[in-house]
């Protein structure tokens, strides 16, 4: 039997090695034993060096790819087991102890990390704010602290003598941050302040969500800088997202870290994402493949569900909405917290006739029919905290179920009056997190299951269709964060994801196995200055993905932050990295018919992006926030459906460059009574393909100018908010034919809210007018949007 390449290599080595031994026996006898041994070792070393180089190439090209799963597990175990800080060493009985308290209230601060350098000793404060480090060697040490949300004290120097006991106390000042400097987890996969992460981040909090009372996730995000929602019209219309000019497939959408993009078309319909059970939404603008892999080219949207951490007992709420187009929704939720177990559950039902009138191109009023929707949304979450304060563990279980039936009205030039679309979305998510080995290592293990069923039925076509699709996704990930010093935090992990598609449209089922491993190092330094340099960090990251159907991919990224001043804070952020989008199943495997077929030979889309930003937080008019960012994204191998002979198929033919500016300004001139915020995005999204008619033209449905403004006026029980949304001209053809483009549009919304409460219950009523100027507009060609819309929302809470 003919040996494999590896066997041949081993056989060659054995034969040659034996030959060298035989050759040594024939060396002249006048050579001393030492010289003969040296001659043999030299020749053998040269041979082994050559063979090792050859073996290394074979290992990298074959073994690493074919055995990635085993390698990732070995690497993860190496870091988690072998690379861990030492907790103690032999000393002379000296001891350092003290307390960490709030500078203003003098309340103890729990879970503060205390670092002692050199020698890297550490401790963590308990519920009374106390810490203790024993068995210290004599010497001079630097002591520092770290706690997210607090400004660390200047490093204290202390000299410790043999057997001495010294108390050193720390007084920390809490950071008073708003949503403009909230704690985020998506940007670095760990808790960080927005001011201390390199990425461009926006956070939409629960207060904003409850005030707007949105019926889907798209209504929450359409006023965020850099975000463009492609809305196909009405409350039941499909809604996809673009970040910095990306396609919908190039935006990764997560829920509690669980991927929602399906492998079939790579998109997420934000019209099917309810806001029930949501605590906040984090939007990361800019490529993030180094942390999250495929499809995070334009950025990441992470939807974070609620965790109940209130006092022991139960709380609940009921919400009812009534609006135009015979729209109504009823929602109820309950939260509980008993001992170390807390959780929440809720249900929402939404229905709307959805039909509305619009003005057609001939200036005649028509009605858009078959635009109705009925949906049900269920969510449940349970959280169990167990273990002592040092080795505390957190087990989290969540389930979300959404189902809807809605009309699929087609376009105004080709309407469908009976076509229907059904969606069913189920998500299971579980995670276990906590300290391992010692409190310098945070381990998180997450597993999830995602079922997505879609059905489209249309009997109005020449050949009626009834298409059914089932997407299944299973994932498992392990992540570790290790604190190596007060300035160095390493985040690393590995994971596996399985995607499966079965459909009546495809002659066979399709699947994808993806293994990945990632590492990120945060090097950060804090300084005591109140007016000079206060913080600097450098964050390199690297991720390797291996997929069963589109190969292997390496995604590096590096970012940095420099902060100057505390009360008058100026920050500079910069990022650069490589990103990619994986071909979806429709592009790879679409079954051949007389009009189209897929292309299994597609490569991923590749991109390089970089951005630089300036961030100001000044105490002007009781709070000024200003952000300015420049971004530049280069993409190649873009997938485009092209005519090949008599059929259409996807090819890697397009290139593009998206560059632009993002400006954000917010003021708080009257101590939370009057609030103003506004943002503007300039986007120059150029088509760089070889098509003469399209080269150097603006990409379709990428507006050059978008702007948003919000003015809020608040009293103790009243809130009035005005929101303005402007979107510039959008081209619908690659050749940028002006007369076929869509006109700019402006939409204004007003919401008035009144709330009151008592000891055990409270209530709030809000009145909202969407598009109160009755603007007639289209976001997508032949897909008009509703005119003026009224909503009344009643919210009752029980404490």
């Amino acid at each position: 039997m003919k040996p494999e390449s590896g066997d041949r290599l081993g056989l060659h080595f054995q034969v040659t090695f034996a030959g060298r031994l035989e050759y040594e026996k024939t060396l002249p006898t006048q050579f001393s034993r030492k010289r003969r041994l040296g001659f043999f070792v030299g020749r053998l070393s040269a041979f082994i060096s050559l063979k090792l180089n050859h073996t290394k190439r074979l290992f990298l090209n074959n073994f690493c790819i074919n055995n990635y799963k085993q390698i990732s597990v070995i690497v993860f175990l190496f870091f988690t087991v072998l690379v861990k800080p030492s907790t103690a060493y032999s000393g002379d009985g000296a001891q350092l102890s003290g307390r960490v308290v709030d500078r203003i209230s003098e309340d103890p601060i729990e879970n503060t990390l205390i670092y002692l350098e050199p020698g890297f000793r550490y401790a963590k404060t308990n519920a009374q704010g106390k810490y203790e480090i024993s068995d210290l060697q004599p010497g001079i040490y630097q002591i520092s602290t770290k706690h997210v949300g607090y400004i660390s004290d200047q490093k204290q120097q202390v000299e410790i003598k043999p057997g001495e006991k010294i108390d050193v106390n720390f007084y920390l000042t809490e950071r008073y941050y708003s949503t403009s400097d909230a704690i985020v987890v998506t940007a670095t996969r760990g808790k960080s302040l927005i001011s201390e992460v390199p990425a461009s981040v926006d956070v939409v909090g629960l207060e904003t969500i409850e005030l707007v009372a949105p019926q889907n996730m798209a209504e929450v995000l359409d006023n965020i800088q850099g975000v463009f929602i492609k809305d196909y019209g009405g409350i039941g219309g499909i809604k996809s997202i673009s970040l910095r000019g990306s396609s919908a497939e190039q935006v990764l959408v997560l829920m509690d870290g669980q991927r929602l993009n399906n492998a079939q078309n790579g998109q997420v319909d934000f019209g099917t994402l309810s806001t029930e059970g949501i605590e906040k939404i984090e939007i990361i603008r800019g490529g993030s493949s180094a942390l999250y892999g495929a499809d995070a080219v334009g950025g990441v949207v992470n939807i974070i569900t609620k965790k109940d951490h209130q006092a022991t007992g139960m709380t609940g709420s009921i919400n009812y909405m009534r609006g135009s187009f015979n729209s109504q929704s009823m929602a109820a939720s309950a939260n509980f917290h008993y001992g170390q177990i807390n959780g929440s559950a809720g249900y929402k039902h939404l229905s709307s006739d959805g039909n509305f009138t619009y003005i057609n191109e001939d200036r005649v009023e028509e009605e858009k029919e078959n635009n109705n929707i009925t949906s049900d949304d269920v969510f449940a979450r349970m959280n169990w905290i167990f273990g002592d304060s040092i080795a505390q563990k957190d087990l989290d279980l969540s389930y979300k179920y959404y189902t809807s039936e809605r009309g699929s009205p087609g376009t105004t030039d080709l309407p469908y009056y009976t076509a229907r679309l059904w969606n069913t979305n189920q998500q299971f998510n579980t995670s276990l997190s906590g300290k391992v080995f010692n409190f310098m290592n945070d381990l998180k293990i997450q597993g999830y299951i995602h079922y997505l069923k879609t059905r489209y039925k249309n009997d109005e076509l020449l050949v009626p269709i009834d298409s059914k699709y089932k997407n299944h996704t299973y994932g498992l990930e392990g992540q570790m964060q290790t604190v190596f010093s007060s300035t160095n935090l390493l985040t690393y992990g590995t994971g596996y994801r399985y995607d499966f598609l079965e459909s009546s449209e495809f002659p066979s089922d399709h699947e994808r196995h993806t293994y990945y491993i990632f590492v990120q190092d945060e090097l950060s330094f804090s300084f005591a200055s109140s007016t000079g340099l206060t913080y600097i960090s450098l964050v390199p990251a690297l991720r390797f993905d291996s997929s069963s159907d589109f190969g292997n991919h390496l995604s590096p990224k590096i970012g940095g932050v420099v902060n100057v001043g505390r009360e008058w804070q100026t920050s500079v952020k910069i990022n650069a990295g490589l990103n990619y989008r994986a071909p979806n199943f429709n592009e790879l495997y679409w079954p051949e018919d007389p009009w189209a077929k897929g292309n299994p030979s597609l490569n991923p889309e590749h991109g390089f992006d970089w951005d630089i930003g300036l961030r100001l937080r000044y105490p002007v008019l009781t709070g000024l926030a200003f952000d300015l960012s420049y971004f530049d994204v280069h993409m190649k191998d873009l997938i485009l459906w092209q005519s090949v002979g008599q059929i259409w198929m996807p090819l890697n033919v397009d290139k593009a460059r998206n560059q632009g500016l993002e400006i954000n300004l917010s003021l708080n001139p009257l101590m939370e009574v009057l609030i103003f915020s506004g943002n503007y995005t300039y986007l120059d999204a150029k088509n760089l393909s070889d098509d003469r008619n399209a080269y150097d033209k603006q990409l379709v449905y990428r507006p050059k100018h978008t702007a948003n403004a919000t003015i809020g006026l608040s009293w103790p029980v009243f809130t009035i908010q005005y929101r303005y949304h402007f979107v510039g001209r959008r081209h619908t053809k690659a050749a940028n034919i002006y007369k076929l483009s869509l006109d700019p549009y402006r939409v204004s919304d007003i919401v008035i809210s009144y709330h009151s409460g008592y000891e055990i219950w409270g209530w709030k009523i809000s009145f909202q007018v969407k598009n109160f100027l009755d603007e007639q507009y289209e976001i997508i060609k032949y897909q008009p949007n509703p005119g003026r819309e009224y909503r009344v929302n009643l919210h009752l809470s029980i404490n």
Side-chain angles (χ1 to χ4, degrees):
M1 183 177 66
K2 185 178 180 180
E4 298 295 331
S5 60
D7 297 328
R8 291 198 301 272
L9 178 64
L11 181 62
H12 187 192
F13 182 84
Q14 293 174 9
V15 171
T16 308
F17 183 72
R20 296 298 180 207
L21 291 177
E22 185 65 28
Y23 180 69
E24 185 199 7
K25 295 179 182 178
T26 63
L27 289 175
T29 56
Q30 63 266 30
F31 285 176
S32 67
R33 179 180 298 272
K34 183 176 181 181
R35 291 186 64 188
R36 285 189 288 127
L37 180 61
F39 180 82
F40 164 70
V41 170
R43 296 294 299 271
L44 180 61
S45 298
F47 169 78
I48 292 177
S49 177
L50 290 173
K51 290 304 178 182
L52 284 179
N53 286 333
H54 179 61
T55 305
K56 182 175 73 173
R57 288 194 297 270
L58 290 176
F59 177 80
L60 292 175
N61 293 336
N62 296 316
F63 181 78
C64 285
I65 294 174
N66 297 330
N67 300 276
Y68 173 74
K69 181 178 179 180
Q70 293 87 339
I71 293 174
S72 63
V73 172
I74 292 171
V75 172
F76 187 70
L77 290 176
F78 171 79
F79 274 111
T80 58
V81 176
L82 298 182
V83 185
K84 59 179 182 179
S86 173
T87 58
Y89 55 82
S90 177
D92 295 318
Q95 176 180 298
L96 177 69
S97 60
R99 295 186 72 220
V100 179
V101 299
D102 186 284
R103 185 180 298 276
I104 305 300
S105 65
E106 296 189 358
D107 292 333
I109 304 175
E110 189 179 4
N111 296 327
T112 302
L113 291 177
I114 311 295
Y115 301 94
L116 194 64
E117 299 172 301
F120 189 56
R121 301 296 305 279
Y122 51 83
K124 183 179 180 182
T125 58
N126 60 18
Q128 290 74 43
K130 295 181 179 180
Y131 73 92
E132 180 180 304
I133 303 176
S134 302
D135 198 24
L136 288 172
Q137 291 181 342
I140 298 177
Y141 293 89
Q142 297 284 340
I143 315 171
S144 58
T145 65
K146 186 171 185 179
H147 195 295
V148 175
Y150 284 86
I151 301 172
S152 298
D153 259 11
Q154 182 179 3
K155 284 186 177 181
Q156 297 192 38
Q157 181 173 298
V158 60
E159 181 178 0
I160 298 178
K161 299 177 181 179
E164 188 177 20
K165 294 184 178 181
I166 298 178
D167 285 336
V168 178
N169 299 323
F170 290 89
Y171 301 88
L172 305 187
T173 303
E174 186 175 5
R175 294 181 185 270
Y176 292 96
Y177 54 85
S178 63
T179 54
S180 65
D181 197 18
I183 294 176
V184 295
V185 297
T186 312
T188 59
R189 285 180 169 260
K191 291 183 178 180
S192 303
L193 291 172
I194 293 178
S195 60
E196 297 179 356
V197 299
S200 299
V201 183
D202 279 292
V203 178
V204 181
L206 182 61
E207 183 179 347
T208 300
I209 296 174
E210 291 181 342
L211 178 64
V212 177
Q215 298 306 306
N216 54 61
M217 202 67 67
E219 295 183 4
V220 181
L221 301 177
D222 62 354
N223 278 59
I224 302 297
Q225 60 179 327
V227 173
F228 176 57
I229 300 293
K230 294 176 69 175
D231 193 336
Y232 287 76
I235 195 171
I238 294 173
K239 297 164 176 53
S240 60
I241 190 172
S242 172
L243 291 177
R244 290 183 170 177
S246 68
S247 65
E249 297 91 343
Q250 294 172 342
V251 178
L252 182 63
V253 183
L254 309 172
M255 181 170 288
D256 292 328
Q258 174 182 342
R259 182 189 184 96
L260 299 186
N261 301 65
N262 67 77
Q264 181 189 345
N265 62 22
Q267 299 186 10
V268 174
D269 181 2
F270 279 73
T272 65
L273 296 181
S274 168
T275 59
E276 295 308 302
I278 304 304
E279 179 176 317
K280 66 177 181 177
I281 306 166
E282 298 180 358
I283 304 100
I284 310 300
R285 303 187 308 280
S288 300
S289 290
L291 280 183
Y292 295 101
D295 310 337
V297 176
V300 179
V301 177
N302 191 12
I303 303 162
I304 299 173
T305 57
K306 292 179 181 177
K307 276 188 177 181
D308 180 70
H309 293 297
Q310 298 180 1
T312 300
M314 291 194 66
T315 62
S317 66
I318 299 175
N319 197 86
Y320 177 75
M321 185 277 295
R322 184 78 183 188
S324 302
F325 319 123
N326 198 25
S327 301
Q328 59 180 333
S329 69
M330 172 70 76
S333 65
N335 309 292
F336 69 91
H337 190 160
Y338 291 101
Q340 295 178 306
I341 299 178
N342 65 78
S344 59
Y347 167 77
K348 177 181 178 179
H349 175 78
L350 169 68
S351 64
S352 175
D353 290 347
N355 299 340
F356 59 87
T357 59
Y358 66 95
I359 306 298
N360 64 19
E361 292 180 338
D362 299 325
R363 311 307 299 171
V364 176
E365 187 177 275
E366 291 188 19
E367 183 174 10
K368 187 175 183 181
E369 302 180 43
N370 193 29
N371 210 46
N372 64 313
I373 183 173
T374 301
S375 69
D376 294 279
D377 188 282
V378 177
F379 77 91
R381 182 169 190 169
M382 190 193 76
N383 181 254
W384 178 31
I385 300 174
F386 60 95
D388 57 40
S389 60
I390 298 299
Q392 183 173 283
K393 302 293 187 296
D394 190 326
L395 177 63
D396 196 76
L397 304 171
S398 66
Y399 171 72
K400 196 166 178 63
Y401 174 86
Y402 174 89
T403 183
S404 68
E405 178 186 349
R406 48 184 167 163
S408 184
T411 62
T412 55
D413 65 335
L414 186 60
Y416 300 126
Y417 300 100
T418 60
R420 308 298 293 171
L421 180 63
W422 292 266
N423 293 94
T424 300
N425 195 339
Q426 294 188 77
Q427 299 159 232
F428 304 85
N429 197 329
T430 179
S431 66
L432 176 63
S433 58
K435 307 293 183 182
V436 292
F437 310 126
N438 52 57
F439 53 77
M440 309 303 285
N441 296 284
D442 280 288
L443 174 66
K444 180 180 180 181
I445 300 175
Q446 181 177 23
Y448 58 84
I449 301 173
H450 186 197
Y451 296 134
L452 177 63
K453 294 172 59 178
T454 305
R455 180 188 179 191
Y456 176 71
K457 190 174 187 294
N458 191 342
D459 295 326
E460 300 177 55
L461 297 173
L462 183 63
V463 179
I465 62 173
D466 187 1
S467 302
K468 299 177 182 178
Y469 304 92
K470 294 181 180 179
N471 284 274
H472 307 265
T473 301
Y474 308 91
L476 180 64
E477 179 179 280
Q479 174 183 302
M480 179 76 82
Q481 286 194 316
T482 299
V483 178
F484 284 105
S485 72
S486 60
T487 61
N488 191 1
L489 173 64
L490 189 70
T491 302
Y492 49 97
T494 185
Y496 166 75
R497 188 176 71 254
Y498 172 72
D499 294 289
F500 177 77
L501 168 67
E502 56 177 312
S503 169
S504 59
E505 296 297 307
F506 289 77
S508 61
D509 300 334
H510 295 283
E511 63 181 7
R512 171 179 292 166
H513 301 267
T514 304
Y515 303 94
Y516 58 90
I517 187 169
F518 61 90
V519 61
Q520 173 188 264
D521 195 15
E522 296 179 60
L523 301 170
S524 60
F525 303 88
S526 297
F527 306 94
S529 173
S530 60
T531 58
L533 183 64
T534 58
Y535 181 84
I536 184 170
S537 74
L538 185 67
V539 186
L542 182 67
R543 173 165 166 147
F544 174 74
D545 289 81
S546 179
S547 175
S548 58
D549 62 352
F550 65 85
N552 307 289
H553 209 86
L554 196 64
S555 303
K557 182 178 181 179
I558 189 167
V561 181
V562 176
N563 290 342
V564 177
R566 296 198 184 278
E567 187 178 4
W568 294 73
Q569 186 182 77
T570 301
S571 305
V572 177
K573 300 185 177 188
I574 189 167
N575 298 273
L578 299 180
N579 306 282
Y580 73 103
R581 178 182 83 84
N584 57 56
F585 286 164
N586 283 349
E587 294 165 336
L588 291 168
Y589 310 120
W590 187 262
E592 184 173 0
D593 57 36
W595 302 278
K597 70 174 183 178
N599 182 3
S601 300
L602 286 174
N603 294 317
E605 298 177 345
H606 295 86
F608 166 75
D609 81 314
W610 71 278
D611 60 58
I612 185 169
L614 175 67
R615 187 175 187 273
L616 310 179
R617 294 298 181 269
Y618 293 163
V620 177
L621 298 176
T622 67
L624 178 147
F626 176 79
D627 298 272
L628 173 65
S629 298
Y630 170 79
F631 60 88
D632 192 359
V633 184
H634 297 256
M635 294 296 300
K636 65 178 182 178
D637 298 326
L638 291 175
I639 299 172
L640 185 68
W641 287 80
Q642 295 257 311
S643 176
V644 180
Q646 301 298 318
I647 64 173
W648 288 78
M649 67 182 297
L651 299 171
N652 294 106
V653 295
D654 253 1
K655 292 184 290 184
R657 181 184 183 184
N658 298 346
Q659 56 182 330
L661 289 172
E662 295 167 340
I663 302 174
N664 183 77
L665 173 67
S666 64
L667 296 170
N668 183 15
L670 294 178
M671 294 293 291
E672 304 294 337
V673 175
L674 179 63
I675 299 175
F676 167 82
S677 65
N679 62 72
Y680 166 76
T681 301
Y682 171 77
L683 173 64
D684 184 25
K686 289 297 178 63
N687 188 333
L688 301 181
S689 66
D690 296 330
D691 186 347
R692 291 185 307 172
N693 295 321
Y695 181 78
D696 208 32
K697 301 294 178 65
Q698 187 83 357
L699 294 172
V700 296
Y701 292 112
R702 269 72 165 187
K704 273 196 172 184
H705 309 280
T706 58
N708 301 283
T710 300
I711 300 176
L713 193 60
S714 298
W715 288 277
V717 294
F718 275 105
T719 299
I720 300 176
Q721 188 180 90
Y722 166 76
R723 303 177 76 190
Y724 172 82
H725 182 57
F726 169 82
V727 175
R729 183 170 298 277
R730 283 95 54 231
H731 292 287
T732 62
K733 299 294 183 181
N736 287 185
I737 302 173
Y738 187 86
K739 65 179 181 180
L740 298 180
S741 63
L742 295 173
D743 293 332
Y745 65 88
R746 304 157 185 81
V747 177
S748 296
D749 300 338
I750 291 181
V751 58
I752 303 173
S753 173
Y754 174 82
H755 62 273
S756 181
Y758 299 91
E759 185 175 351
I760 60 172
W761 65 280
W763 62 277
K764 179 173 68 174
I765 185 170
S766 63
F767 176 70
Q768 187 174 180
V769 185
K770 297 177 67 66
N771 190 12
F772 77 90
L773 296 179
D774 201 23
E775 177 93 355
Q776 300 291 311
Y777 67 101
E778 292 179 344
I779 300 177
I780 305 297
K781 188 71 171 177
Y782 304 123
Q783 298 284 0
N785 282 72
R788 186 180 296 113
E789 179 182 355
Y790 300 95
R791 292 181 187 176
V792 177
N793 196 80
L794 178 62
H795 180 85
L796 176 66
S797 60
I798 303 173
N799 301 318

